[in-house]
Amino acid sequence: MAYTLAVDRQPSIGLADYLDHIQATVDPADTDSVLGSADALHALSSDPDLLVDHLNRELADLASWQNGNPYMGPALLLGRGNSFIVRANIWLPPTGMNPQQEQSLHSYELPHDHPFSFLTVGHLGPGYETTIWEYDPHQVTGHPGEQVELRLLEHTELPPGKVMFYRASRDIHTQHHPPALCVSLNLLIHHRDKPHTEQRFFDTDRQRLTRSTPSPAATRSCATSPATSAISAPPRSSNTSAPPTPPPPSEPVPWTTSPASSAPQPNPP
């Protein structure tokens, strides 16, 4: 299931140092290695000037604004390396926008999976609510209308500092409107051993797959990008404390989960 991870609070770190740390210590094919980097993502999220500084550097050169960003709208590319992408997602409360336009931007109330595993952390604002299910991708052929056995896991929130891990092509989630603007940070992990490269969408009430579309991140491989690069990366500070080295794969990584049996049921559509 999707995990809520217990993290050790560390001094905040800058974006360039975080990218170097991920490149040097995380094995994208090793889930324990990815989970072990949760402390570093939490330390990055505790930098209150992260987005302001990044946007100021980006706006200084509009000609190269968000070069290489495979996403649209509220997804801001922060950096990338071999087999990973770091991004910030901006979540807005109801705006009165046309529902279809809003759904295309934010995927609110639209259950979907991702063909990559990722860590996410609440960065700014109250955080969105989300409902999570799981399914077995090996039992699905991918045809629209196909019956899929879904298991409800939990209904939860992503407030600042909370770190969660989602499994590639297995965890399904849908975001619900936050009460105010909020931002989450993602570490997207790519490796070749994934069941498919499509993102799948589901009707959770009817337990059916509705459609599949190519994933922007999956079809635009991280492996072709420089070893570590931030968009207009900030200089590394000698005063910045490096995050601790994550535990080796043989050591259990602590996490806490919310069992489906104790989770509240999702609101009706």
Side-chain angles (χ1 to χ4, degrees):
M1 63 172 62
Y3 299 113
T4 296
L5 305 180
V7 295
D8 292 328
R9 294 185 179 276
Q10 305 289 334
S12 64
I13 60 173
L15 178 58
D17 291 316
Y18 174 76
L19 294 171
D20 284 347
H21 175 74
I22 297 302
Q23 184 65 41
T25 64
V26 173
D27 177 358
D30 185 346
T31 298
D32 284 342
S33 175
V34 177
L35 293 173
S37 72
D39 288 354
L41 183 61
H42 185 273
L44 177 68
S45 75
S46 66
D47 178 3
D49 299 320
L50 170 66
L51 294 183
V52 172
D53 290 346
H54 186 76
L55 287 173
N56 283 337
R57 288 189 300 272
E58 286 266 281
L59 292 172
D61 184 11
L62 287 177
S64 62
W65 168 261
Q66 288 289 284
N67 277 351
N69 188 351
Y71 302 97
M72 62 178 183
L76 180 68
L77 179 65
L78 299 180
R80 63 196 308 158
N82 290 335
S83 301
F84 73 87
I85 286 177
V86 180
R87 71 180 183 185
N89 286 336
I90 302 169
W91 305 95
L92 298 175
T95 60
M97 184 188 299
N98 178 288
Q100 290 184 333
Q101 292 177 326
E102 188 173 59
Q103 190 179 74
S104 68
L105 282 175
H106 296 285
S107 298
Y108 290 139
E109 313 301 337
L110 189 64
H112 59 278
D113 73 353
H114 294 276
F116 48 80
S117 297
F118 67 98
L119 286 172
T120 185
V121 62
H123 178 56
L124 293 175
Y128 59 77
E129 294 185 17
T130 184
T131 306
I132 306 170
W133 300 260
E134 70 174 355
Y135 78 109
D136 182 353
H138 302 290
Q139 302 300 317
V140 176
T141 61
H143 298 299
E146 180 180 359
Q147 195 79 34
V148 181
E149 182 179 351
L150 306 180
R151 186 167 76 94
L152 176 66
L153 297 180
E154 64 175 329
H155 182 90
T156 188
E157 299 175 346
L158 191 72
K162 180 177 180 178
V163 182
M164 298 188 70
F165 175 73
Y166 288 82
R167 300 166 300 170
S169 308
R170 185 169 291 274
D171 291 317
I172 300 166
H173 66 152
T174 185
Q175 287 90 354
H176 311 293
H177 287 94
L181 183 146
C182 60
V183 178
S184 61
L185 306 180
N186 295 161
L187 171 65
L188 313 183
I189 299 295
H190 299 268
H191 59 86
R192 296 177 181 178
D193 298 329
K194 49 182 180 287
H196 59 272
T197 58
E198 294 82 26
Q199 184 174 31
R200 291 170 172 170
F201 298 84
F202 301 84
D203 181 334
T204 55
D205 290 332
R206 300 174 60 202
Q207 301 256 319
R208 292 185 182 277
L209 186 150
T210 58
R211 61 187 172 94
S212 300
T213 61
S215 168
T219 55
R220 187 166 187 162
S221 173
C222 300
T224 60
S225 49
T228 305
S229 63
I231 309 303
S232 303
R236 291 159 181 78
S237 170
S238 59
N239 296 324
T240 301
S241 300
T245 302
S250 59
E251 294 184 22
V253 178
W255 62 65
T256 58
T257 62
S258 300
S261 58
S262 61
Q265 298 296 308
N267 295 325

